Amino acid sequence: MSLLTGKLGVVFGVANKRSIAWAIAQAWHQAGATLAFTYQGERLKENVEELAGTFGPDTLLLPCDVTRDEEIARVFAVVGEKFGKLHLLLHSVAFAPKDALEGAFLNTSREAFRVAHDVSAYSLIALARGAAPLMAEGGSLLAMTYYGSQKVVPHYNVMGVAKAALEASARYLAYDLGPRRIRVNCISAGPVNTLAARGIAGFTDMLKHYEAHAPLKRNVLPEELGATGTFLASDQAAAVTGQVIYVDCGYQIMGM
Ligand code: NAP
């Protein structure tokens, strides 16, 4: 039996085949999970439809802008109707206005701060609240984060602050939901060349920097995020909650 046989999950954050969410969804699927997907707006529908369709023509696909409570409510209403229950949720969603991801952090506007935190951090709380009632058999919530939450990474700016809020939210959610056997963890990924990453000024240099300085002397592969995502989703990680697991070829341990 595979690690996730019989598990039902919902995935937020597939934009295209390079998305980290897609790498983790593929790994979850290969491990036996049945998945539903969400997409933000009509612009991405076709992309996600095509990818999700490779898991079978009946794969559930729903629109969800995570800043809209009514869309979140509808996702969990439909998932509840179709699946009856839920075990896994992947939060792989982040956004900050482009001009906040270059130049000085000092110039972060109130609006950029609000949007970054709403989309990238508050959404985990809103999704957890929607998912928890369906996770009567226990569950695993997984969110994607980055080391810019802990240390200054030039240009990452307000997204680093939002990721710090996301990681702290995961810990508070882990405390609230632990008695219901719902675990909440984050994967802190090294840089991966995706749509969102290309919005960060100097991203290509970041890839080179990791390759030169990480103990493993390379960048992380999407399938390696999938493998850790599968472990955290599975009962193998039944005693792991509230954690940030670094999947970054060891970069995080370096002082210099
Ligand atoms: P991606 O493929 O661009 O995925 C980001 C996703 O967030 C997209 O599907 C995007 O949809 C979605 N999103 C943005 N605003 C949203 C909203 N209001 N409602 C619903 N969805 C929304 O990039 P990615 O690199 O895989 O990012 C996934 C996660 O990994 C993010 O949390 C990111 O911070 C994290 N992460 C990435 C790296 C990296 O180097 N790539 C490293 C560590 C952590 P749209 O395209 O429509 O905006």
Side-chain angles (χ1 to χ4, degrees):
M1 197 166 85
S2 299
L3 280 181
L4 302 181
T5 299
K7 305 275 189 200
L8 301 164
V10 58
V11 172
F12 294 79
V14 176
N16 58 39
K17 65 177 182 353
R18 285 172 182 265
S19 295
I20 290 173
W22 181 238
I24 293 177
Q26 282 179 291
W28 281 5
H29 174 75
Q30 278 154 20
T34 299
L35 301 177
F37 291 85
T38 68
Y39 59 91
Q40 190 206 183
E42 288 304 307
R43 187 172 53 84
L44 285 183
K45 185 176 178 189
E46 219 173 291
N47 261 353
V48 185
E49 213 162 35
E50 201 182 314
L51 292 171
T54 63
F55 290 178
D58 299 334
T59 305
L60 186 57
L61 186 63
L62 296 161
C64 187
D65 176 336
V66 297
T67 64
R68 293 176 181 269
D69 289 333
E70 65 283 8
E71 293 190 17
I72 293 175
R74 181 164 177 273
V75 166
F76 291 107
V78 177
V79 165
E81 219 171 85
K82 301 270 185 208
F83 285 176
K85 56 189 174 181
L86 193 65
H87 305 101
L88 314 175
L89 183 147
L90 176 63
H91 176 288
S92 188
V93 168
F95 177 78
K98 193 165 172 34
D99 58 359
L101 298 175
E102 54 198 17
F105 173 68
L106 187 64
N107 295 331
T108 306
S109 68
R110 192 181 296 275
E111 181 58 7
F113 188 96
R114 186 194 67 74
V115 169
H117 282 72
D118 190 9
V119 176
S120 318
Y122 179 76
S123 56
L124 179 66
I125 305 166
L127 297 186
R129 196 162 53 239
L134 295 173
M135 293 184 160
E137 298 175 354
S140 173
L141 312 185
L142 181 59
M144 295 307 304
T145 189
Y146 177 62
Y147 189 43
S149 64
Q150 306 298 311
K151 299 285 178 185
V152 173
V153 174
H155 310 300
Y156 201 61
N157 294 0
V158 71
M159 190 52 79
V161 184
K163 290 299 192 193
L166 176 76
E167 291 170 17
S169 300
R171 288 188 283 274
Y172 278 92
L173 290 169
Y175 174 72
D176 278 1
L177 297 171
R180 292 151 79 170
R181 287 189 302 128
I182 300 172
R183 299 179 293 105
V184 189
N185 292 290
C186 296
I187 290 180
S188 186
V192 178
N193 195 356
T194 63
L195 207 62
R198 272 176 264 143
I200 303 161
F203 178 73
T204 313
D205 292 339
M206 204 189 253
L207 284 173
K208 287 189 196 138
H209 184 84
Y210 268 69
E211 211 175 291
H213 295 95
L216 295 178
K217 299 288 175 238
R218 64 176 179 85
N219 278 292
V220 65
L221 301 170
E223 55 267 33
E224 293 168 332
L225 299 173
T228 304
T230 302
F231 163 68
L232 287 171
S234 77
D235 294 342
Q236 304 275 312
V240 181
T241 195
Q243 300 302 309
V244 177
I245 311 280
Y246 284 84
V247 185
D248 65 348
C249 298
Y251 183 86
Q252 179 260 352
I253 65 167
M254 300 305 294
M256 221 179 120

mmCIF file of all heavy atoms in Angstrom, residues 2 5 18 28 54 86 90 108 117 151-152 164 167 186 197 199-201 206 240-241 245 247:
data_model
loop_
_atom_site.group_PDB
_atom_site.id
_atom_site.type_symbol
_atom_site.label_atom_id
_atom_site.label_comp_id
_atom_site.label_asym_id
_atom_site.label_seq_id
_atom_site.Cartn_x
_atom_site.Cartn_y
_atom_site.Cartn_z
ATOM 1 N N SER A 2 0.491 2.240 -0.807
ATOM 2 C CA SER A 2 1.283 3.476 -0.859
ATOM 3 C C SER A 2 0.977 4.356 0.353
ATOM 4 O O SER A 2 -0.044 4.182 1.011
ATOM 5 C CB SER A 2 0.963 4.235 -2.133
ATOM 6 O OG SER A 2 1.303 3.448 -3.239
ATOM 7 N N THR A 5 -2.553 6.171 0.277
ATOM 8 C CA THR A 5 -3.723 5.454 -0.242
ATOM 9 C C THR A 5 -4.961 5.794 0.591
ATOM 10 O O THR A 5 -4.918 5.781 1.823
ATOM 11 C CB THR A 5 -3.473 3.920 -0.190
ATOM 12 O OG1 THR A 5 -2.346 3.651 -1.010
ATOM 13 C CG2 THR A 5 -4.671 3.139 -0.713
ATOM 14 N N ARG A 18 5.361 24.241 -13.742
ATOM 15 C CA ARG A 18 6.535 24.548 -12.924
ATOM 16 C C ARG A 18 6.186 24.823 -11.467
ATOM 17 O O ARG A 18 7.067 24.944 -10.604
ATOM 18 C CB ARG A 18 7.238 25.798 -13.452
ATOM 19 C CG ARG A 18 8.024 25.570 -14.714
ATOM 20 C CD ARG A 18 8.505 26.926 -15.221
ATOM 21 N NE ARG A 18 9.233 26.799 -16.460
ATOM 22 C CZ ARG A 18 10.545 26.701 -16.543
ATOM 23 N NH1 ARG A 18 11.278 26.739 -15.454
ATOM 24 N NH2 ARG A 18 11.135 26.589 -17.704
ATOM 25 N N TRP A 28 1.809 13.433 -4.298
ATOM 26 C CA TRP A 28 0.669 12.965 -3.493
ATOM 27 C C TRP A 28 -0.173 11.975 -4.307
ATOM 28 O O TRP A 28 -0.599 10.947 -3.798
ATOM 29 C CB TRP A 28 -0.202 14.148 -3.052
ATOM 30 C CG TRP A 28 0.357 14.918 -1.876
ATOM 31 C CD1 TRP A 28 1.564 14.734 -1.263
ATOM 32 C CD2 TRP A 28 -0.291 15.997 -1.174
ATOM 33 N NE1 TRP A 28 1.707 15.629 -0.226
ATOM 34 C CE2 TRP A 28 0.598 16.417 -0.156
ATOM 35 C CE3 TRP A 28 -1.508 16.655 -1.325
ATOM 36 C CZ2 TRP A 28 0.284 17.449 0.730
ATOM 37 C CZ3 TRP A 28 -1.829 17.697 -0.445
ATOM 38 C CH2 TRP A 28 -0.942 18.088 0.576
ATOM 39 N N THR A 54 -4.856 15.248 -16.100
ATOM 40 C CA THR A 54 -3.973 14.082 -16.235
ATOM 41 C C THR A 54 -4.182 13.090 -15.084
ATOM 42 O O THR A 54 -3.732 11.958 -15.145
ATOM 43 C CB THR A 54 -2.475 14.485 -16.309
ATOM 44 O OG1 THR A 54 -2.129 15.128 -15.076
ATOM 45 C CG2 THR A 54 -2.192 15.425 -17.455
ATOM 46 N N LEU A 86 -12.023 15.017 4.278
ATOM 47 C CA LEU A 86 -10.773 15.543 3.726
ATOM 48 C C LEU A 86 -9.630 15.161 4.671
ATOM 49 O O LEU A 86 -9.809 15.143 5.899
ATOM 50 C CB LEU A 86 -10.884 17.074 3.628
ATOM 51 C CG LEU A 86 -9.839 17.819 2.818
ATOM 52 C CD1 LEU A 86 -9.912 17.446 1.328
ATOM 53 C CD2 LEU A 86 -10.042 19.339 2.955
ATOM 54 N N LEU A 90 -2.902 21.444 0.738
ATOM 55 C CA LEU A 90 -1.648 22.118 0.382
ATOM 56 C C LEU A 90 -1.918 23.598 0.126
ATOM 57 O O LEU A 90 -2.737 23.947 -0.735
ATOM 58 C CB LEU A 90 -1.030 21.493 -0.873
ATOM 59 C CG LEU A 90 0.244 22.199 -1.376
ATOM 60 C CD1 LEU A 90 1.369 22.134 -0.350
ATOM 61 C CD2 LEU A 90 0.710 21.595 -2.699
ATOM 62 N N THR A 108 8.188 49.966 1.625
ATOM 63 C CA THR A 108 6.985 49.130 1.520
ATOM 64 C C THR A 108 5.744 49.959 1.857
ATOM 65 O O THR A 108 5.677 50.568 2.927
ATOM 66 C CB THR A 108 7.069 47.940 2.517
ATOM 67 O OG1 THR A 108 8.289 47.256 2.277
ATOM 68 C CG2 THR A 108 5.885 47.001 2.341
ATOM 69 N N HIS A 117 0.323 40.104 3.101
ATOM 70 C CA HIS A 117 -0.072 39.321 4.281
ATOM 71 C C HIS A 117 -1.423 38.640 4.097
ATOM 72 O O HIS A 117 -1.637 37.524 4.575
ATOM 73 C CB HIS A 117 -0.070 40.204 5.533
ATOM 74 C CG HIS A 117 1.318 40.433 6.050
ATOM 75 N ND1 HIS A 117 2.216 41.237 5.396
ATOM 76 C CD2 HIS A 117 1.965 39.926 7.114
ATOM 77 C CE1 HIS A 117 3.367 41.215 6.055
ATOM 78 N NE2 HIS A 117 3.243 40.435 7.092
ATOM 79 N N LYS A 151 15.954 35.412 7.835
ATOM 80 C CA LYS A 151 17.144 36.219 7.553
ATOM 81 C C LYS A 151 16.830 37.180 6.421
ATOM 82 O O LYS A 151 15.941 36.915 5.602
ATOM 83 C CB LYS A 151 18.307 35.313 7.112
ATOM 84 C CG LYS A 151 18.731 34.291 8.147
ATOM 85 C CD LYS A 151 19.517 34.921 9.277
ATOM 86 C CE LYS A 151 19.878 33.881 10.318
ATOM 87 N NZ LYS A 151 20.523 34.446 11.481
ATOM 88 N N VAL A 152 17.596 38.233 6.355
ATOM 89 C CA VAL A 152 17.370 39.203 5.277
ATOM 90 C C VAL A 152 17.896 38.641 3.960
ATOM 91 O O VAL A 152 19.067 38.283 3.853
ATOM 92 C CB VAL A 152 18.086 40.530 5.593
ATOM 93 C CG1 VAL A 152 17.999 41.482 4.404
ATOM 94 C CG2 VAL A 152 17.483 41.161 6.842
ATOM 95 N N ALA A 164 7.184 35.071 7.626
ATOM 96 C CA ALA A 164 7.331 34.933 9.084
ATOM 97 C C ALA A 164 5.948 34.796 9.715
ATOM 98 O O ALA A 164 5.733 33.970 10.617
ATOM 99 C CB ALA A 164 8.078 36.138 9.652
ATOM 100 N N GLU A 167 4.627 31.252 8.977
ATOM 101 C CA GLU A 167 5.226 30.198 9.813
ATOM 102 C C GLU A 167 4.676 30.271 11.240
ATOM 103 O O GLU A 167 4.386 29.232 11.855
ATOM 104 C CB GLU A 167 6.754 30.338 9.808
ATOM 105 C CG GLU A 167 7.345 30.003 8.449
ATOM 106 C CD GLU A 167 8.824 30.358 8.298
ATOM 107 O OE1 GLU A 167 9.516 30.569 9.326
ATOM 108 O OE2 GLU A 167 9.301 30.424 7.147
ATOM 109 N N CYS A 186 5.208 23.439 7.658
ATOM 110 C CA CYS A 186 5.670 24.208 6.500
ATOM 111 C C CYS A 186 6.897 23.522 5.912
ATOM 112 O O CYS A 186 7.724 22.987 6.654
ATOM 113 C CB CYS A 186 6.111 25.609 6.908
ATOM 114 S SG CYS A 186 4.812 26.648 7.576
ATOM 115 N N ALA A 197 8.588 33.076 -8.465
ATOM 116 C CA ALA A 197 9.987 33.365 -8.155
ATOM 117 C C ALA A 197 10.554 34.392 -9.120
ATOM 118 O O ALA A 197 11.341 35.256 -8.732
ATOM 119 C CB ALA A 197 10.798 32.071 -8.222
ATOM 120 N N GLY A 199 9.240 36.860 -10.224
ATOM 121 C CA GLY A 199 8.823 38.209 -9.829
ATOM 122 C C GLY A 199 9.787 38.862 -8.841
ATOM 123 O O GLY A 199 9.680 40.048 -8.548
ATOM 124 N N ILE A 200 10.721 38.072 -8.304
ATOM 125 C CA ILE A 200 11.661 38.614 -7.304
ATOM 126 C C ILE A 200 12.900 39.112 -8.033
ATOM 127 O O ILE A 200 13.544 38.342 -8.765
ATOM 128 C CB ILE A 200 12.057 37.513 -6.287
ATOM 129 C CG1 ILE A 200 10.815 36.940 -5.599
ATOM 130 C CG2 ILE A 200 13.059 38.045 -5.263
ATOM 131 C CD1 ILE A 200 11.038 35.588 -4.946
ATOM 132 N N ALA A 201 13.237 40.380 -7.815
ATOM 133 C CA ALA A 201 14.413 40.948 -8.492
ATOM 134 C C ALA A 201 15.654 40.139 -8.119
ATOM 135 O O ALA A 201 15.835 39.769 -6.955
ATOM 136 C CB ALA A 201 14.574 42.409 -8.080
ATOM 137 N N MET A 206 20.148 34.417 -7.217
ATOM 138 C CA MET A 206 19.841 33.636 -6.013
ATOM 139 C C MET A 206 20.100 32.146 -6.275
ATOM 140 O O MET A 206 20.696 31.452 -5.461
ATOM 141 C CB MET A 206 18.360 33.860 -5.674
ATOM 142 C CG MET A 206 18.005 33.643 -4.235
ATOM 143 S SD MET A 206 16.204 33.682 -4.090
ATOM 144 C CE MET A 206 15.949 35.192 -3.325
ATOM 145 N N VAL A 240 4.685 14.804 13.871
ATOM 146 C CA VAL A 240 5.358 16.045 13.449
ATOM 147 C C VAL A 240 4.315 17.124 13.200
ATOM 148 O O VAL A 240 3.489 17.001 12.280
ATOM 149 C CB VAL A 240 6.172 15.813 12.143
ATOM 150 C CG1 VAL A 240 6.885 17.092 11.714
ATOM 151 C CG2 VAL A 240 7.174 14.671 12.321
ATOM 152 N N THR A 241 4.324 18.172 13.999
ATOM 153 C CA THR A 241 3.413 19.289 13.723
ATOM 154 C C THR A 241 4.013 20.617 14.186
ATOM 155 O O THR A 241 4.861 20.653 15.083
ATOM 156 C CB THR A 241 2.015 19.050 14.347
ATOM 157 O OG1 THR A 241 1.099 19.992 13.753
ATOM 158 C CG2 THR A 241 1.999 19.215 15.864
ATOM 159 N N ILE A 245 10.255 22.621 7.895
ATOM 160 C CA ILE A 245 11.288 21.677 7.444
ATOM 161 C C ILE A 245 12.005 22.297 6.242
ATOM 162 O O ILE A 245 11.365 22.628 5.238
ATOM 163 C CB ILE A 245 10.651 20.334 6.997
ATOM 164 C CG1 ILE A 245 9.665 19.799 8.034
ATOM 165 C CG2 ILE A 245 11.723 19.302 6.615
ATOM 166 C CD1 ILE A 245 10.244 19.090 9.200
ATOM 167 N N VAL A 247 14.035 22.269 3.000
ATOM 168 C CA VAL A 247 14.370 21.389 1.869
ATOM 169 C C VAL A 247 15.102 22.304 0.891
ATOM 170 O O VAL A 247 14.525 22.842 -0.060
ATOM 171 C CB VAL A 247 13.098 20.759 1.269
ATOM 172 C CG1 VAL A 247 13.461 19.755 0.167
ATOM 173 C CG2 VAL A 247 12.281 20.056 2.356
#
